[in-house]
Each structure stands twice: as C-alpha cells, then as structure tokens.
C-alpha cells in the first residue's frame, strides 16, 4: 500500500483530500425545493386581495378578517425554530414531506371552510406545514450543492423564488378570484403539493445533521411560546395601538419568554439554537438585512394592494397584474445580486440593494391622493430590485457562517426573522395608515377604512361619490406615506450598520 506522501508525489489525491462528489440530480432537486418554497410564500400575500370577498361570503368582521390573514403567519413564525431543529435531527427530506402533507391538508380545509372560524383554524394548520417546509428547503440546498460557485447560483434562484412568491401572491389571487370562487386560492395548493411530494420522493436525497442533536424539550416549548407571543403582540398592536396597556403587557410577556429561551440555550448541554452564531458578523448582518427588507416589502404590499383597489379603482385581477413589474424586477435582480457579490463582495451587494430599496420607499412616500399608477410602479420596481440584490448575498452570508450540523436551525433563524419582519411591516405600516386615515376623515362608517369609504361611494350620486373618494384617497395615501417613510429610514439605518459590520470582499 502506498503512503500518503507517495500518492501525493504521483499527483493523486488521498482519501482525506477527496471532495464529496456532487449529487448528480441536484438541479432537479433545486426545482422541487423551489416549488415547495413558492407555494408557502405565495400564501403569505394571496389572501390580501380576497379580503373584500371573504368579508361578504363569510360575514366576517374586521377582527376575523385580520386573523384570517395573520393566523398563518403567527403559527408559521412560532414553529420555525423547532421545525428546523427537528429537520436536523430526524431528516430534512422527512421534514419537507411531512410539511407538504400538513400544508396540503390545511389548504383543503381552508377551501372547504364555511365560517371564518373554520378558515382561521385551517390557515393555522397551513402555517404549521410551512414551518416544516421552509428551513428544510434551504438546508437541503446546502447539502446537495457542495461546490461554492454552484451553491451561490442555487441560493440566488432560491432567494428569487422566496421574494417572488410574496410579490406574485396578489396577482395569482386576483386571477383566481376573477374566474373562480374564493376557495380556489387555497384549493390551487393541492396539486402543487402533490407534485412536490412526488418530486421529493424521487429527486431529493435524505439529509440530516452529521451528529443527531438530542431534542431540547425546554427550548422547544419556550421558543414556540416566545415567538408566538411576540408575533401575536405585533399583530394586535396594529389593531389596538402601540402604546396601549394591553400592547405593552403583551410585549413584556414576549420579552420574558424569549429571555427565558435564551437563558435555557446558554445553560443547555445541547441547545437547539447556538447563540454564538450571532457573534459572527456574516450571520447577524444577514439576518438583520433580511428582516428589514421583508418589513418593507410586506408593508408596501399591504397598503399598495388597497391603493390599487380602493384609490385607483382596479379590480382584484387588475391590481394583481399591476403588481407584476415589481415581481419581475425582483426575479431579475436576484441573480444579479449573486454576480455583484462574487465580483465586489457581499457587503457591497447587500448595501447597494438596501440603498436601492430605500430609494424606492422614499419615492413611494412622495405620493398624494392624485398620484397614478406610474408613481407606484416606479417605487415598486426600485424596492423589489433592491430586495433582489440583497436576498441572495444575505442568504449566502448566513450559510457561510453555519456548520453542516446547524444548517436547518440556522436557516430557521433567518426565516423566522423574515416572518417577523413581514408581520411587523404589515402591522406597523398598516396601523400608521389606518390611524392617520381615521384622524383625517369625519366620523362615520366611511372613517373606518378606505375600503368602507369605497363601498359607500358606490351608492352615492356622482358628485358626492367623487368628493368622498377624493377625501378618503388623500387621507389613506397620506397615512401610507408616513408608514413607508419610517420604513425607508429603518432600511437606511440597517444598511449603514451592515456596511460597518459585515466583512469586506473576502
């Protein structure tokens, strides 16, 4: 038998230096992972355009409508960390398949719901399935793409699908509502789930952490309770007000639970979440940038959907179609972000993306009640392009800081921050827009929401209808401007922190 030195002298590799062979069907695997990701991300926004229809069909009040939207996100965010840990322990393909089954069952239940309560419960089940799916997709991607250059391309495509799903949700929902009943926006998930399950069985390899971590029961309970309490506090703050006693109490409870979770992780022999990850600037900066970018995207999508329908008078389908330029900009900018990061470094790519997004948000904030579609599409394209430039480099940055045993839980941390950013964006921008709107409108039903004003205006004589529409449009757009302007400031501050603390080109 030849020695390692002899083998090296002959120019052959020793077993210790042989890189693992790439998975031969890895690009097909990526297709399955992206399909699985797309269906759960679309569901974060597809319901928004159906709110007026659901209100009439299910006789749902404003509180029930809010929970139809938020129950999915609440459960999704609360279960992400434990779900990522379970995938690391028991297998990421198993987590993906189990998540698709749960998500599909919840989708079928949502489509067949006859009351608002049933729909809220079904949406919560869908959120549980989504929590299993999302971290598994990124962990599996990391496992099958071992070459750094190929992994960067794969992450770029994954990131594009992740952001694209948020952007095309209103378009897909509008088209389905135009041609079918509201149940179609949930029933359409079932064949997608079936295709993803079949693809996972044949094209996705088994993958788990190299050393199975033990189940952290205390950490799991505290993570679910803490993240659930925080998400609930943010959601309710948008309705009850941010400075009320109830809101402050809910945030205090969430803070105590999350502090207890952190303490349990420090003390645990085998913690579910290694808090030392946050000492790495690549990981922390990536998490912060993703959070604030989805904060902006979700907030703008929430108010823009209402502006298109209630201010500019578009149907759900017309509003959805007009959201497509932003979606296309995001899809085009995501692979560009990968190339910029490869040439100039991740810090330059993320900072450039965040500055571009902030420019779009600032431009949005100059709108008034008479602004047309052209104004909003410029803002949407700039924001979406900035998010596309940021997403892939930020995901690469977080992955580069993760050991193989922690890719599931690490990606779950990143995705949890994304979901919390989404919830916070809708809650904060939505609450500011609603508060300013109510304060600038005379007392009465039309002052409750811009949608209520639009419904009343349809039954008034033309001069009165035009006057009410103009007043409501000016009030709502002014409130939306203020919320979006605060978002732009948050993005710029985060961009400055990223530029300061994220490692340079190396």
């Amino acid at each position: 038998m030849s020695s390692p030195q002899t083998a090296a002298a002959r120019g052959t590799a020793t077993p210790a230096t042989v890189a693992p062979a790439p998975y031969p069907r890895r690009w097909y695997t990526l297709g399955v992972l992206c399909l699985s990701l797309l269906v759960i991300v679309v569901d974060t926004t597809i319901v928004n355009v159906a709110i007026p229809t659901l209100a009439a069909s299910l006789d749902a009040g404003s509180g029930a409508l809010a929970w139809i939207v938020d129950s999915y996100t609440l459960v999704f965010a609360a279960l992400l960390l434990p779900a990522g840990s379970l995938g690391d322990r028991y297998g990421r393909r198993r987590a993906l398949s189990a998540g698709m089954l749960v998500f599909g069952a919840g989708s079928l239940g949502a489509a067949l719901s006859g009351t608002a309560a049933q729909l809220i419960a079904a949406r919560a089940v869908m959120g549980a399935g989504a929590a299993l799916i999302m971290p598994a997709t990124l962990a599996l991607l990391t496992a099958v793409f071992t070459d750094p250059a190929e992994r960067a391309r794969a992450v770029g495509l994954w990131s594009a699908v992740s952001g694209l799903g948020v952007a095309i949700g209103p378009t897909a929902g509008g088209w389905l509502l135009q041609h079918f009943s509201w149940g179609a926006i949930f029933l359409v998930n079932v064949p997608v789930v079936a295709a993803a399950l079949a693809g996972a069985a044949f094209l996705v390899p088994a993958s788990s952490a190299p050393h199975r971590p033990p189940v952290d029961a205390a950490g799991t309970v505290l993570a679910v309770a803490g993240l659930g309490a925080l998400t609930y506090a943010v959601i309710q703050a948008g309705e009850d007000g941010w400075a009320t006693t109830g809101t402050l109490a809910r945030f205090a409870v969430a803070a105590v639970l999350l502090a207890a979770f952190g303490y349990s992780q420090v003390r645990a022999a085998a913690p579910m979440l290694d808090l030392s990850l946050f000492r790495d600037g690549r990981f922390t900066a990536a998490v912060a940038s993703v959070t604030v970018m989805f904060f902006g995207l979700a907030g703008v999508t929430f108010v823009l959907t209402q502006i298109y329908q209630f201010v500019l008078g578009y149907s759900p389908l017309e509003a959805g179609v007009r959201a497509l330029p932003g979606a296309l900009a995001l899809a085009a900018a995501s692979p560009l972000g990968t190339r910029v990061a490869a040439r100039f470094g991740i810090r330059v790519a993320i900072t450039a993306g965040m500055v571009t997004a902030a420019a779009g948000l600032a431009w949005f904030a100059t709108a008034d009640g008479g602004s047309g579609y052209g104004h909003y599409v410029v803002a949407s394209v700039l924001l979406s392009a900035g998010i596309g430039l940021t997403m892939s480099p930020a995901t690469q940055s977080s992955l580069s800081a993760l050991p193989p045993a922690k890719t599931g839980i690490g990606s779950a941390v990143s995705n949890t921050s994304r979901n919390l950013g989404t919830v916070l964006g809708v809650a904060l921008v939505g609450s500011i827009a609603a508060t300013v709107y109510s304060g600038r409108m005379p007392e009465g039903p039309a002052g409750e929401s811009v949608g209520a004003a639009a419904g009343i205006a349809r039954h008034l004589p033309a001069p009165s209808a035009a006057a009410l529409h103009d007043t409501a449009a000016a009030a709502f757009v002014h409130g939306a401007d203020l919320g979006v302007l605060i978002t732009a400031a948050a993005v710029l501050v985060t961009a400055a922190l990223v530029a300061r603390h994220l490692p340079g080109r190396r």
Side-chain angles (χ1 to χ4, degrees):
M1 179 180 293
S2 61
S3 66
Q5 290 84 359
T6 304
R10 291 199 305 265
T12 58
T14 66
T17 61
V18 175
Y23 183 62
R25 293 182 290 183
R26 57 195 177 279
W27 293 107
Y28 296 105
T29 301
L30 180 63
V32 175
L33 300 180
C34 286
L35 180 64
S36 304
L37 178 68
L38 180 66
V39 71
I40 63 172
V41 174
V42 165
D43 248 271
T44 61
T45 57
I46 196 172
V47 178
N48 290 346
V49 295
I51 290 301
T53 304
L54 293 172
S57 299
L58 300 177
D59 193 25
S62 58
L65 291 173
W67 277 108
I68 288 172
V69 175
D70 293 330
S71 59
Y72 178 76
T73 307
L74 173 63
V75 177
F76 194 171
L79 296 181
L80 263 171
L81 285 183
S85 180
L86 289 173
D88 285 341
R89 175 173 173 77
Y90 294 108
R92 290 133 186 178
R93 185 176 65 182
R94 290 177 179 174
L96 177 68
S97 298
M100 294 305 295
L101 286 171
V102 173
F103 183 83
S107 298
L108 184 60
L112 300 177
S113 296
T115 66
Q118 291 173 358
L119 182 54
I120 291 168
R123 291 272 291 164
V125 173
M126 293 169 66
L132 285 165
I133 293 167
M134 182 170 269
T137 61
L138 191 54
L140 284 162
L141 182 155
T142 305
V144 299
F145 286 94
T146 56
D147 177 73
E150 284 194 343
R151 180 183 291 177
R153 290 171 56 199
V155 167
L157 292 170
W158 184 94
S159 301
V161 169
S162 179
L164 189 62
V166 175
I168 68 173
T171 307
W175 187 86
L176 290 168
L177 288 172
Q178 187 86 3
H179 295 88
F180 307 99
S181 67
W182 63 263
I185 64 176
F186 305 111
L187 196 60
V188 70
N189 295 335
V190 176
V192 179
V193 166
L197 282 170
F202 293 102
L203 299 172
V204 177
S207 169
S208 60
H211 304 287
R212 288 189 175 185
V215 175
D216 181 5
T220 297
V221 172
L222 288 171
V224 172
L227 290 171
L230 178 60
T231 309
Y232 178 72
V234 171
I235 290 170
Q236 285 301 109
E239 295 190 23
D240 299 344
W242 290 82
T244 62
T245 302
T247 295
L248 296 176
R250 283 188 285 268
F251 276 113
V253 170
V256 170
L257 289 170
L258 290 173
F261 169 69
Y263 180 76
S264 75
Q265 298 306 283
V266 172
R267 301 285 295 177
M272 179 174 66
L273 174 61
D274 184 0
L275 296 178
S276 65
L277 286 173
F278 291 97
R279 296 174 187 165
D280 192 313
R282 296 167 298 171
F283 185 80
T284 303
V287 169
S289 60
V290 167
T291 301
V292 77
M293 293 300 264
F294 272 81
F295 172 85
L297 178 61
V300 166
T301 300
F302 181 74
V303 295
L304 196 54
T305 300
Q306 297 179 72
I307 288 173
Y308 282 165
Q309 293 190 64
F310 302 132
V311 174
L312 300 184
Y314 299 130
S315 69
L317 176 59
E318 291 170 337
V321 168
R322 282 161 177 80
L324 283 177
L328 294 174
L330 195 153
S334 290
L336 178 60
T338 301
R339 292 195 291 271
V340 171
R343 182 166 183 178
F344 300 105
I346 286 178
R347 179 169 60 190
V348 171
I350 294 179
T351 305
M354 298 188 78
V355 170
T356 302
L361 292 166
W363 175 250
F364 183 108
T366 63
D368 57 36
S371 297
Y373 172 68
H375 182 96
Y376 297 112
V377 75
V378 170
S380 178
V381 166
L382 284 173
L383 171 62
S384 299
I387 292 171
L389 286 171
T390 303
M391 279 288 296
S392 178
T395 305
Q396 291 178 59
S397 180
S398 63
L399 288 177
S400 68
L402 296 172
K406 294 290 184 180
T407 53
I409 187 64
S411 62
V413 172
S414 179
N415 292 322
T416 298
S417 69
R418 177 184 325 205
N419 272 19
L420 290 175
T422 298
V423 173
L424 187 61
V426 172
L428 183 63
V429 177
S431 65
I432 291 173
T435 300
V436 173
Y437 174 83
S438 298
R440 293 170 67 97
M441 291 289 290
E443 292 187 7
E448 295 180 0
S449 69
V450 67
I456 293 171
R458 284 194 289 268
H459 301 287
L460 295 176
S464 299
L468 177 58
H469 173 272
D470 292 345
T471 302
F476 184 78
V477 171
H478 180 72
D481 287 347
L482 181 58
V484 171
L485 190 60
I486 293 172
T487 304
V491 172
L492 281 178
V493 169
T494 307
L497 294 174
V498 166
R500 180 177 176 82
H501 295 290
L502 195 66
R505 183 164 183 170
R506 181 180 65 83

